Amino acid sequence: MPDVSRGRLKLRAEDAEDLSVISAALQDAVAKLGDVRFEAQGRLLTILFNRYRWEAGGGSRVRSALQLGSVEQVEARRLRRDAPDAVVELLAITFESDAEPPGGAVVLNFAGGGDLKVKVECIEAVLADVSEPWPTPRIPRHET
């Protein structure tokens, strides 16, 4: 259930269906590659995004943090890890189940074909807005 206290979104996912709600909230969010942090010892992956506020009717963005827990491994494909200021745009988040549930991989797909494949013991995801929203005249658009 979304928590929209003070106009800030906070979502938690424990299964693939919940994760699809977070994916929808993060569609068209942008991040710098330098804002992706993996803490191997804590088994946490945290990414800071500038999220377009679709749920508020658009017209604004907000700084949001996505945190994945129970992370076993992170693989990047077609993402320039040597370019921390490179900007990526998130298209979707999906879950690929293992042969041994509840494990699998949370896959973050970015525009341009890059992705992060995050191997997890189980789905533990939290998305939380961490700033006040600001207006934007740019509406995300997709080529058809």
Side-chain angles (χ1 to χ4, degrees), residues 22-99:
I22 288 178
S23 176
L26 279 173
Q27 183 179 1
D28 301 311
V30 294
K32 289 184 177 180
L33 291 179
D35 288 335
V36 177
R37 299 272 188 255
F38 176 46
E39 301 169 40
Q41 188 170 349
R43 298 179 52 185
L44 294 172
L45 177 73
T46 305
I47 306 172
L48 294 175
F49 288 98
N50 290 343
R51 183 178 72 78
Y52 192 76
R53 296 180 69 226
W54 293 106
E55 78 284 356
S60 63
R61 284 197 179 264
V62 65
R63 192 80 164 146
S64 299
L66 172 67
Q67 188 167 71
L68 300 174
S70 298
V71 175
E72 297 174 337
Q73 182 179 6
V74 178
E75 297 175 10
R77 186 178 66 87
R78 296 185 65 188
L79 297 174
R80 295 205 43 204
R81 291 179 282 175
D82 62 334
D85 289 331
V87 176
V88 292
E89 179 181 2
L90 185 68
L91 299 177
I93 302 173
T94 57
F95 182 70
E96 298 173 355
S97 185
D98 267 353

Side-chain angles (χ1 to χ4, degrees), residues 11-26 66-68 92-96 105-108 118 120 122-127:
L11 300 171
R12 180 182 174 146
E14 295 179 345
D15 61 30
E17 186 177 341
D18 293 345
L19 197 60
S20 70
V21 175
I22 288 178
S23 176
L26 279 173
L66 172 67
Q67 188 167 71
L68 300 174
I93 302 173
T94 57
F95 182 70
E96 298 173 355
V106 174
V107 182
L108 291 86
V118 185
V120 295
C122 61
I123 297 175
E124 289 182 19
V126 174
L127 173 67

